[in-house]
């Protein structure tokens, strides 16, 4: 008899975490490795947020809290949604979870029944697919491509919806592609969703503040208020505030859904860290002055990486609108021979050979549901990015 449950057997470990762990292992062995696999800012958490956490500890705010968030944080989240997104929520419509993944998990486990379908555009963040599987639902891939800038076309969304569709997941800016939907593009998707009132929408806005140039971020319930009552608008403090390790994600949505998610939490994680919650109050209510300068630094890094990758033989790298990822195509290298003598038969092979030959860790595209591509996180210094891209150029030049 197997120890592993049937539900767990349906899923795979996170490929992004596996790639990062492999790179850490090689570094520990003394090898010169540049890791472009992890999805976290290299900036430190701002001091005002740290001080708020220290104060919370000194003030004895170290006990259990309300299962899905302290009132002060829920109020701060409501204020954020109103201030930045034009969305009005009450605290009873807010969920605070120990990270973005638990927000999605809580929503899926609270609502999915066997046979329910969840439309997941590809390329997708690796956890969407497997969370749906773990929750007993059926993920349905909705392919995009470089030709559509990795964005869903309204006709394709229309064709993907069935009577079994329970949710559609949207992510803008996207992990892994960095693609972000304009207001007009969201308007067109909203028009489709208005025709299918049985479909709920989960929009992952985690990279909201990391958009470049004159791009204007909008979220779908803001663009189409008629979808407000069946949209879960998700965000968190991890990316914009460099708080990945603090583990706070949040969402606004219809009260019955939020209550159901809290019920899940009451029997699983219970409340997020009390200290992290108080730090997040300061993050949302305190100064936001560092956000735009940080985004500008990411934009400069994007331009550097896109330029250097497009100079590599066999690679093609689009210019994304946001986040801190690029999603280049390695189609020009498939079927060719790596310096090791092995044939590159897939983007997974490409990532393995690149790591072994040049010590650069990336995540292969199949992990995100769309090949032949790979993801690079440029959330590191310009010097390391230049070094990594030079190594990638050298590797590609040596592929025959």
């Amino acid at each position: 008899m197997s120890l592993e449950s049937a539900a767990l057997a349906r899923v795979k470990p996170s490929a992004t975490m596996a790639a990062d762990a492999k790179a850490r292992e090689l570094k520990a062995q003394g090898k010169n490795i540049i890791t472009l696999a992890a999805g976290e800012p290299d900036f430190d958490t701002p001091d005002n947020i740290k001080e708020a956490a220290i104060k919370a500890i000194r003030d004895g705010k170290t006990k259990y809290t309300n299962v899905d968030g302290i009132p002060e944080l829920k109020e701060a989240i409501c204020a954020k949604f109103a201030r930045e997104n034009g969305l009005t929520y009450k605290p009873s419509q807010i969920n605070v979870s120990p990270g973005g993944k638990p927000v999605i998990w809580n929503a899926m486990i609270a609502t999915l029944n066997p046979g329910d379908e969840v439309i997941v555009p590809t390329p997708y963040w690796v956890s969407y697919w497997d969370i749906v599987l773990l929750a007993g639902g059926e993920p349905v891939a909705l392919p995009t491509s470089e030709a559509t800038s990795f964005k869903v076309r309204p006709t394709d969304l229309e064709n993907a919806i069935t009577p079994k569709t329970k949710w559609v997941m949207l992510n803008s800016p996207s992990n892994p592609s960095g693609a972000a939907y304009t207001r007009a593009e969201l308007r067109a998707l909203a028009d489709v969703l208005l025709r299918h009132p049985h479909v709920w929408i989960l929009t992952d806005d985690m990279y909201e503040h990391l958009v470049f140039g004159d791009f204007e971020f909008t979220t779908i319930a803001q663009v189409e208020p008629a979808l407000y009552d069946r949209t879960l608008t998700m965000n968190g403090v991890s990316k914009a505030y460099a708080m990945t390790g603090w583990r706070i994600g949040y969402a606004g949505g219809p009260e019955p859904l939020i209550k159901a998610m809290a019920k899940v939490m009451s029997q699983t994680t219970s409340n997020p860290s009390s200290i992290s919650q108080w730090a997040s109050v300061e993050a949302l209510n305190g100064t936001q002055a560092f956000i735009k300068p940080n985004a500008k630094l990411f934009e400069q890094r994007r331009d550097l990486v896109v330029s250097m990758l497009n100079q590599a033989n066999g690679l093609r790298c689009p210019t994304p609108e946001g986040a801190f990822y690029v999603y280049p195509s390695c189609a020009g290298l498939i079927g060719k021979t790596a310096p090791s003598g092995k044939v590159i038969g897939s983007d997974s092979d490409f990532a393995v050979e690149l790591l072994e030959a040049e010590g650069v860790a990336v995540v292969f595209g199949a992990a995100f549901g769309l090949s032949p591509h790979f993801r690079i996180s440029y959330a590191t210094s310009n010097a390391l990015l230049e070094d990594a891209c030079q190594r990638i150029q050298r590797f590609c030049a040596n592929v025959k």
Side-chain angles (χ1 to χ4, degrees):
M1 182 180 295
S2 172
L3 173 65
E4 188 175 278
S5 70
L8 189 59
R10 301 177 76 191
V11 307
K12 300 180 179 70
S14 168
T16 53
M17 290 189 172
D20 190 49
K22 179 64 175 177
R24 291 175 190 270
E25 178 186 328
L26 292 173
K27 277 186 178 181
Q29 295 172 8
K31 296 183 179 179
N32 183 3
I33 303 296
I34 299 177
T35 303
L36 304 180
E40 65 176 346
D42 57 317
F43 308 129
D44 197 10
T45 303
D47 285 342
N48 64 306
I49 299 172
K50 293 181 185 177
E51 291 302 320
I54 293 168
K55 184 177 186 303
I57 294 170
R58 289 178 173 155
D59 289 349
K61 294 175 179 176
T62 57
K63 308 297 184 183
Y64 293 132
T65 73
N66 293 352
V67 69
D68 64 345
I70 58 176
E72 292 84 353
L73 181 51
K74 288 193 171 192
E75 290 285 359
I77 292 166
C78 289
K80 175 262 182 277
F81 277 131
R83 178 178 70 243
E84 297 179 351
N85 308 114
L87 295 173
T88 301
Y89 291 109
K90 300 178 293 185
S92 59
Q93 293 177 277
I94 300 298
N95 172 273
V96 182
S97 292
K101 285 182 186 179
V103 172
I104 303 168
W105 166 256
N106 294 333
M108 295 299 107
I109 200 69
T111 60
L112 291 180
N113 293 305
D116 285 346
E117 296 176 350
V118 179
I119 294 175
V120 184
T122 65
Y124 47 71
W125 180 44
V126 294
S127 294
Y128 295 152
W129 191 269
D130 289 309
I131 286 175
V132 172
L133 288 172
L134 274 172
E138 298 295 334
V140 176
L142 177 52
T144 68
S145 68
E146 188 179 338
T148 66
S149 301
F150 301 116
K151 301 178 194 180
V152 174
R153 294 180 298 189
T155 52
D156 293 333
L157 177 59
E158 183 81 59
N159 292 334
I161 294 173
T162 75
K164 294 182 178 180
T165 304
K166 188 71 169 279
W167 288 89
V168 171
M169 290 189 176
L170 297 176
N171 178 207
S172 175
S174 161
N175 175 3
S177 71
Y181 289 91
T182 65
R183 179 181 287 269
E185 289 166 338
L186 286 176
R187 172 73 267 164
L189 295 180
D191 288 343
V192 173
L193 292 164
L194 286 171
R195 294 194 288 272
H196 300 277
H198 68 290
V199 177
W200 287 68
I201 305 101
L202 188 152
T203 177
D204 180 351
D205 299 346
M206 194 67 73
Y207 296 89
E208 169 186 5
H209 290 296
L210 299 179
V211 293
F212 308 136
D214 58 359
F215 187 90
E216 178 191 357
F217 174 84
T218 49
T219 193
I220 196 162
Q222 175 185 15
V223 171
E224 178 46 79
L227 294 176
Y228 172 91
D229 287 334
R230 51 189 173 104
T231 298
L232 185 67
T233 303
M234 182 189 122
N235 213 310
V237 298
S238 295
K239 313 303 180 180
Y241 299 94
M243 293 176 68
T244 51
W246 298 77
R247 307 308 302 139
I248 294 292
Y250 62 82
E255 194 166 319
L257 173 60
I258 297 300
K259 285 183 175 179
M261 293 167 65
K263 185 177 179 181
V264 174
M265 293 178 71
S266 74
Q267 296 293 0
T268 53
T269 59
S270 296
N271 63 273
S273 161
S274 60
I275 307 307
S276 295
Q277 290 188 68
W278 284 105
S280 299
V281 172
E282 174 61 23
L284 295 177
N285 288 345
T287 179
Q288 311 291 298
F290 56 87
I291 291 179
K292 286 187 177 180
N294 284 357
K296 188 63 179 177
L297 287 174
F298 280 128
E299 183 176 5
Q300 293 167 358
R301 294 173 179 180
R302 176 203 64 177
D303 293 343
L304 168 69
V305 170
V306 168
S307 174
M308 293 189 73
L309 291 179
N310 278 322
Q311 296 173 51
N313 292 336
L315 300 186
R316 186 176 63 250
C317 186
T319 302
E321 293 89 354
F324 40 68
Y325 308 106
V326 290
Y327 200 62
S329 167
C330 57
L333 301 178
I334 301 299
K336 296 186 177 181
T337 304
S340 68
K342 295 180 181 177
V343 174
I344 299 174
S346 65
D347 48 36
S348 177
D349 292 341
F350 170 85
V352 169
E353 293 297 319
L354 176 63
L355 181 59
E356 292 184 356
E358 295 289 349
V360 179
V362 301
V363 186
F364 59 94
F368 306 102
L370 188 65
S371 296
H373 294 267
F374 61 100
R375 189 194 78 173
I376 280 179
S377 167
Y378 51 84
T380 191
S381 70
N382 283 34
L384 280 177
L385 290 172
E386 285 189 29
D387 188 357
C389 288
Q390 287 170 357
R391 296 187 195 190
I392 292 171
Q393 289 175 346
R394 184 166 61 232
F395 173 80
C396 292
N398 290 329
V399 172
K400 304 300 180 184

